[in-house]
């Protein structure tokens, strides 16, 4: 499909630079079948779902993966993307023309890495020097890797260390937050429990590739980034059983959805999964594992807007986003939410 079919105009002031407080006070646009759009809040979620439904969260934890350094006199920025080995990470590099394999990049706080390889997508393998765990180095020298549409408008600060982390964050490895889950609070979880709505967790380490623009004219020419994920056997079995009992599987975020769909077989049974997924979901895709999606509002011509268009229909989502813009919803990572129920 033509990529320009997924374009829309977004006023810059609709981009949220900070989350609302408390988190579950965010607005939520409900898009259910062909019903009229409903303007609700995230706190309404227990009343919008049914007893026996299951919400699936991503428990990945964002690491401070943004590094600033130098190679000689050249200023170099690096955003870690994906762990390759114990001390090796794939990274997207700013000012990459000044970097070659074999170069040493010196970051802050005596952290350094050797450039080992350049990949086809323009990223590099960085091998970190020394014996300390890379996570310790990042805690010392790194900052939270805010999306470009936020970082381009304000500096990252200490508040982002908590704001850009979900309450489910447990497994270190993401360089972008699974932002749909940023809206959840202990009070909201208690209300969901009381309503008989289940919850499960999986792990998908979100990579920096999620922010990279689609640079081709046709979706078939786009090379999707890969990310590592895991669903254990017990979780897979419970999810399959819940769906067979009549419950709906509601993915909280596109990361959860992509991993669930990667793990499902042709009959919709969710299998245990551990490894990389590069699934690219566009209109025409037949969903096998999920019955709904809670997600924030995405960028024009992005793979994520293509995904929600595959779930609900492109024209339906164009209309939903036009409604959200007209009614001043807040967009992107720190913005408001939507609940999509085909």
């Amino acid at each position: 499909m033509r990529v320009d079919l997924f374009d829309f105009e977004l006023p810059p002031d609709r981009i949220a630079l900070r989350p609302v407080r408390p988190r579950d006070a965010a607005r939520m646009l409900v898009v259910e079948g062909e019903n009229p759009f409903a303007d609700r809040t995230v706190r309404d979620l227990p009343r919008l779902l049914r007893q026996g439904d299951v919400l699936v969260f991503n428990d990945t934890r964002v690491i401070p993966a943004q590094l600033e350094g130098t190679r000689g006199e050249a200023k170099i920025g690096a955003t870690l993307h994906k762990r390759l080995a114990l001390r090796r990470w794939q990274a997207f590099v700013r000012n990459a023309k000044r970097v070659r394999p074999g170069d040493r990049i010196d970051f802050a706080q005596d952290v350094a890495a050797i450039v080992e390889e350049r990949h086809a997508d323009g990223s590099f393998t960085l091998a970190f020097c020394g014996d300390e765990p890379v996570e310790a180095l990042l805690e010392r020298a790194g900052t939270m890797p805010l999306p470009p549409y936020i970082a381009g408008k304000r500096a990252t600060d200490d508040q982002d260390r908590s704001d850009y982390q979900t309450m489910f964050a447990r497994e270190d490895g993401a360089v972008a937050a699974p932002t749909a889950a940023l809206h959840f609070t202990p009070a909201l979880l208690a209300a969901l429990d009381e309503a008989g709505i289940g919850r499960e967790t999986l792990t998908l380490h979100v990579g920096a590739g999620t922010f990279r623009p689609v640079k081709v004219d046709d979706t078939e020419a786009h090379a999707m980034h890969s990310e590592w994920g895991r669903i254990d056997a017990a979780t897979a079995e419970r999810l399959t059983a819940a769906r067979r009992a009549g419950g709906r599987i509601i993915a909280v975020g596109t990361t959860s959805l992509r991993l669930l769909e990667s793990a499902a077989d042709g009959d919709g049974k969710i299998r245990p999964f551990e490894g990389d997924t590069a699934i690219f979901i566009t209109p025409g895709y037949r969903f096998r594992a999920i019955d709904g999606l809670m997600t924030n509002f995405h960028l024009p011509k992005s793979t994520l807007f293509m995904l929600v268009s595959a779930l609900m229909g492109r024209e339906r989502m164009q209309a939903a986003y036009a409604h959200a813009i007209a009614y001043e919803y807040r967009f992107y990572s720190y913005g408001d939410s939507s609940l999509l129920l085909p």
Side-chain angles (χ1 to χ4, degrees), residues 26-30 38-42 45 48 329 337-339:
R27 299 171 70 193
M28 185 167 67
L29 178 63
V30 180
D39 300 301
R40 308 295 287 269
T41 69
V42 172
L45 191 60
L48 296 169
Y329 278 74
S337 184
S338 65
L339 179 62

Side-chain angles (χ1 to χ4, degrees), residues 292-304:
L293 171 66
M294 182 177 172
T295 186
N296 288 16
F297 294 95
H298 304 295
L299 279 71
K301 296 196 291 187
S302 65
T303 61
L304 301 182

Side-chain angles (χ1 to χ4, degrees), residues 21-22 24-26 28 41-47 188 191:
R21 302 186 189 281
D24 58 7
M28 185 167 67
T41 69
V42 172
R43 289 174 181 165
D44 294 324
L45 191 60
R47 294 182 291 277
L188 178 57

Side-chain angles (χ1 to χ4, degrees), residues 181-220:
L182 292 178
H183 302 295
F184 285 79
T185 64
L188 178 57
L189 290 188
L192 289 163
D193 289 344
E194 187 175 351
I197 296 158
R199 63 178 178 270
E200 298 285 352
T201 58
L202 47 72
T203 303
L204 183 80
H205 290 324
V206 192
T210 192
F211 300 126
R212 292 178 69 80
V214 178
K215 296 181 178 180
V216 295
D217 296 327
D218 193 283
T219 57
E220 291 187 5

